[in-house]
Amino acid sequence: MGMEGSYRITLKSQLGPKNGIFVVSEQGKKLLVTFTFLGRENILIGREMTGNFKIEGEITTPLGLRQCQVNGQLTSIGFSANIIINGKSYPITGMKVDDKLEGEGKKNGQGNNN
């Protein structure tokens, strides 16, 4: 099951759910992820391993750059995962969306920040 595509994501934090976008492209065995979250675009690198994946990199937060790691499993409609930021783990889910629809959402200012 390939992971390439666009996903609307929801991160559950102590401040309530936060929404964002994952756009994943596969480059051989590597994953290149554009992670738009809290109004900021971040580039992460990862890999998929038989239905599981691991993505790592730095994300820009209101408190500056932070290391993050996303470990998860693909499902029939998206993925479920945990994102670890500064040693704290938060549940994150992603629902696969139609790439054309996603492009329209970005153009209309949706999907950035709740």
Side-chain angles (χ1 to χ4, degrees), residues 4-108:
E4 190 163 76
S6 298
Y7 299 81
R8 290 187 195 273
I9 63 103
T10 302
L11 181 143
K12 295 177 185 159
S13 77
Q14 63 270 33
L15 300 176
K18 303 293 179 196
N19 296 322
I21 303 290
F22 257 39
V23 178
V24 181
S25 62
E26 296 174 339
Q27 298 178 345
K29 294 187 179 202
K30 287 187 179 181
L31 301 174
L32 179 62
V33 180
T34 303
F35 179 28
T36 304
F37 186 68
L38 298 175
R40 296 167 173 89
E41 191 172 277
N42 306 277
I43 305 297
L44 307 174
I45 304 292
R47 66 185 188 281
E48 183 184 346
M49 300 120 347
T50 316
N52 297 317
F53 63 90
K54 180 177 183 177
I55 300 167
E56 299 177 302
E58 287 186 331
I59 61 170
T60 304
T61 72
L63 301 174
L65 283 177
R66 299 289 186 248
Q67 287 291 324
C68 84
Q69 181 176 319
V70 183
N71 298 303
Q73 294 182 317
L74 294 174
T75 67
S76 60
I77 59 170
F79 68 83
S80 62
N82 284 309
I83 185 169
I84 302 166
I85 304 170
N86 283 352
K88 294 183 182 178
S89 181
Y90 305 96
I92 185 171
T93 56
M95 171 114 14
K96 197 160 191 175
V97 295
D98 177 54
D99 289 330
K100 183 177 179 188
L101 172 67
E102 193 53 49
E104 291 299 311
K106 285 183 183 178
K107 191 173 8 176
N108 293 326

